[in-house]
Amino acid sequence: MTANPVWSVDPRTGKQRERVAVEATAPDVDRAVRAAHAARAALADPAARAAFLRAAAGLLDGAAAQIVEAADAETALGGARLTGELARTTGQLRAFADVVEEGAYLDVRIDRADPSLTPPRPELRRYKVPLGVVAVYAASNFPLAFSVPGGDTASALAAGCPVVVKAHPDHPAVSELCAGLLRRAAVASGLPADVVTVVHGFDAGLELIRHPLVRAAGFTGSVRGGRALFDAAAARPVPIPFHGELGSLNPVVVSPAAAAERAEEIGSGLAASVTLGVGQFCVKPGLVLVPEGADGDLLTAALAEQLGETGPGVLLDHRMRENFVAGVRERAALPGVTAPVAAGPAGEHTVGAGYLGVAAARLLEGGPYGLLLEECFGPVTVVVRYSGPDEAAAVLDLLDGNLSATLQLSRAEAQGAPGPAAALIAQVTGLAGRIVVNGWPTGVAVAPAQHHGGPYPAATSHSTSVGGTAVERWLRPVAYQSVPDALLPPELREDNPLGLPRRVTGG
């Protein structure tokens, strides 16, 4: 049987660029997973892992021009955006090398024996061990930072887990290029190349999640695709953790005082956030609550002006373009929904930005208006005009989980003046993983305190896919009770040969 070819496609024209690879068969996936499984022991050395992550960052930086050119040809995201994304990606790899060397992620805890307690306490020593082979499902909208060399891969490798990446069909050429660089970095660091492997194809993705040697998975993509893989992970004879980022509306609430204070500034900032990356960010503001009245009108006028000046853009592929156009059309056809700036087709291969307007009272009717509470991937947002804090709160009560929630407050409200701010903070904390005040959610900093996740369907677990604590997804705790020091792993021995931070209790 002839293997199906994998083509790199130019989204600006819809034409095939080059044949990159072939889709992996079930035996191909089996070989990739087994090779990764065999490489686990080599990743046990933290010094080698840190060196590998830094070497990978160096090789990626050294090939920056080639990577950016390849990624732009497949995604149309532009050189400036992709140059920044590559810097984020290599910075992320180096940050995880620092995490490995610092060692706190192992969460070493020691409780001394104390027979005087009731019940008596034995000697207990606890740390975390890697799960094993991790399957990573690359994202469409970030061909670097959430793809082959991205955060899921970097954090899994930092934890000591080999990775098999299912490449995204929107950017197979740059996926192969980056995979080759990571494998070179592994060998240069004394590790087997198979600590990172890439496979292509829809069926390969299903084979991967079902493989008995795969111990966990990370996913960034749609609710439909992510939920199918999540269910497959749970249906295995031995279920595995599935850390999926699926979809998010990322609501924004503009307080009346904020609209009175800086309506035009908020409107312009909203337009910039909605159109960043042609609206293809997972944290794009997709629902914006704006107060009724003259101040809200000024805000929407500024939003309309800025959107109207935004040129047409190319989405990541033509399927996404068709879904975007159809999604906007279906939403705009709902009674009472307006399109002051019409989003939709702007040429054979491009789309234009816009927004839809609706009254909060109409949205609260439910029924078909629930469509407005679903993510529409592309440069469009829904502006909901509300009459007061109770109506705004009622709209928020309709929402499922989100990656982010943003509050635009006045200076006085932000400083604690009486108003709805405290209640809003409390309400959105229940529905989002990151709360933003007087900023915009697009742009997720790679930092130790970052959390990129949220209640379902924003994510399928409570962990983060960005920041140093993302490493925790690929580890499990083990406690050793009354084990002689000579038999303990080095991480837990009394003399602490690795110099790890540890919490010691009792005497």
Side-chain angles (χ1 to χ4, degrees), residues 310-337:
T310 302
V314 177
L315 296 184
L316 292 162
D317 62 40
H318 280 60
R319 177 186 56 83
M320 289 184 188
R321 180 184 180 277
E322 292 167 4
N323 289 342
F324 173 73
V325 170
V328 170
R329 184 186 302 121
E330 186 178 5
R331 288 164 172 77
L334 293 170
V337 174

Side-chain angles (χ1 to χ4, degrees), residues 318-490:
H318 280 60
R319 177 186 56 83
M320 289 184 188
R321 180 184 180 277
E322 292 167 4
N323 289 342
F324 173 73
V325 170
V328 170
R329 184 186 302 121
E330 186 178 5
R331 288 164 172 77
L334 293 170
V337 174
T338 62
V341 181
E348 185 180 359
H349 305 291
T350 57
V351 297
Y355 83 92
L356 302 170
V358 68
R362 181 78 74 163
L363 192 62
L364 291 168
E365 292 177 13
Y369 294 97
L371 181 62
L372 299 173
L373 303 179
E374 297 178 11
E375 181 182 17
C376 188
F377 196 67
V380 69
T381 192
V382 176
V383 174
V384 181
R385 302 298 296 271
Y386 69 92
S387 61
D390 290 344
E391 199 168 53
V395 170
L396 292 175
D397 280 340
L398 298 175
L399 303 186
D400 293 324
N402 286 267
L403 294 171
S404 72
T406 298
L407 305 181
Q408 294 291 339
L409 306 174
S410 69
R411 285 186 291 270
E413 287 174 325
Q415 293 170 1
L424 281 172
I425 288 280
Q427 186 173 15
V428 298
T429 295
L431 60 88
R434 177 167 58 106
I435 314 303
V436 181
V437 172
N438 291 349
W440 298 104
T442 40
V444 182
V446 180
Q450 184 59 272
H451 184 81
H452 190 59
Y456 186 85
T460 60
S461 70
H462 298 306
S463 60
T464 179
S465 62
V466 178
T469 55
V471 73
E472 296 172 0
R473 296 174 295 169
W474 321 119
L475 300 162
R476 67 177 180 87
V478 178
Y480 293 78
Q481 179 175 324
S482 303
V483 175
D485 195 68
L487 300 180
L488 287 169

Side-chain angles (χ1 to χ4, degrees), residues 109-479:
R109 295 168 183 255
I110 298 173
D111 284 325
R112 305 292 188 195
D114 189 342
S116 67
L117 295 177
T118 304
R121 184 175 67 207
E123 180 88 358
L124 289 166
R125 295 174 181 245
R126 178 185 186 270
Y127 81 135
K128 295 181 179 179
V129 299
L131 292 175
V133 179
V134 169
V136 169
Y137 293 81
S140 62
N141 55 343
F142 282 85
L144 304 172
F146 285 84
S147 187
V148 172
D152 283 352
T153 299
S155 59
L157 292 169
C161 297
V163 174
V164 179
V165 184
K166 190 275 179 186
H168 197 281
D170 278 355
H171 40 77
V174 77
S175 296
E176 283 291 324
L177 173 58
C178 291
L181 293 169
L182 263 61
R183 288 169 67 85
R184 277 178 52 196
V187 173
S189 306
L191 299 172
D194 289 330
V195 295
V196 180
T197 306
V198 168
V199 296
H200 299 266
F202 177 83
D203 290 342
L206 294 176
E207 292 290 338
L208 191 57
I209 199 67
R210 296 168 180 157
H211 197 287
L213 292 180
V214 168
R215 295 291 188 254
F219 171 90
T220 302
S222 68
V223 173
R224 181 180 178 183
R227 183 55 193 255
L229 290 170
F230 175 75
D231 290 345
R236 291 167 40 125
V238 179
I240 60 171
F242 182 87
H243 300 286
E245 179 196 318
L246 308 189
S248 184
L249 203 58
N250 306 300
V252 178
V253 182
V254 182
S255 77
E261 189 175 85
R262 56 183 201 288
E264 294 179 344
E265 176 187 330
I266 294 172
S268 296
L270 173 60
S273 188
V274 168
T275 58
L276 186 65
V278 202
Q280 298 171 115
F281 275 50
C282 50
V283 286
K284 178 202 74 176
L287 187 81
V288 188
L289 281 76
V290 175
E292 295 176 351
D295 295 327
D297 293 343
L298 280 175
L299 189 157
T300 55
L303 170 65
E305 180 180 3
Q306 189 81 12
L307 291 174
E309 294 175 356
T310 302
V314 177
L315 296 184
L316 292 162
D317 62 40
H318 280 60
R319 177 186 56 83
M320 289 184 188
R321 180 184 180 277
E322 292 167 4
N323 289 342
F324 173 73
V325 170
V328 170
R329 184 186 302 121
E330 186 178 5
R331 288 164 172 77
L334 293 170
V337 174
T338 62
V341 181
E348 185 180 359
H349 305 291
T350 57
V351 297
Y355 83 92
L356 302 170
V358 68
R362 181 78 74 163
L363 192 62
L364 291 168
E365 292 177 13
Y369 294 97
L371 181 62
L372 299 173
L373 303 179
E374 297 178 11
E375 181 182 17
C376 188
F377 196 67
V380 69
T381 192
V382 176
V383 174
V384 181
R385 302 298 296 271
Y386 69 92
S387 61
D390 290 344
E391 199 168 53
V395 170
L396 292 175
D397 280 340
L398 298 175
L399 303 186
D400 293 324
N402 286 267
L403 294 171
S404 72
T406 298
L407 305 181
Q408 294 291 339
L409 306 174
S410 69
R411 285 186 291 270
E413 287 174 325
Q415 293 170 1
L424 281 172
I425 288 280
Q427 186 173 15
V428 298
T429 295
L431 60 88
R434 177 167 58 106
I435 314 303
V436 181
V437 172
N438 291 349
W440 298 104
T442 40
V444 182
V446 180
Q450 184 59 272
H451 184 81
H452 190 59
Y456 186 85
T460 60
S461 70
H462 298 306
S463 60
T464 179
S465 62
V466 178
T469 55
V471 73
E472 296 172 0
R473 296 174 295 169
W474 321 119
L475 300 162
R476 67 177 180 87
V478 178

Side-chain angles (χ1 to χ4, degrees), residues 19-45:
R19 176 171 165 163
V20 173
V22 295
E23 293 186 356
T25 63
D28 293 331
V29 173
D30 181 61
R31 281 191 293 270
V33 174
R34 290 186 183 280
H37 181 72
R40 290 174 306 145
L43 281 174
D45 180 4

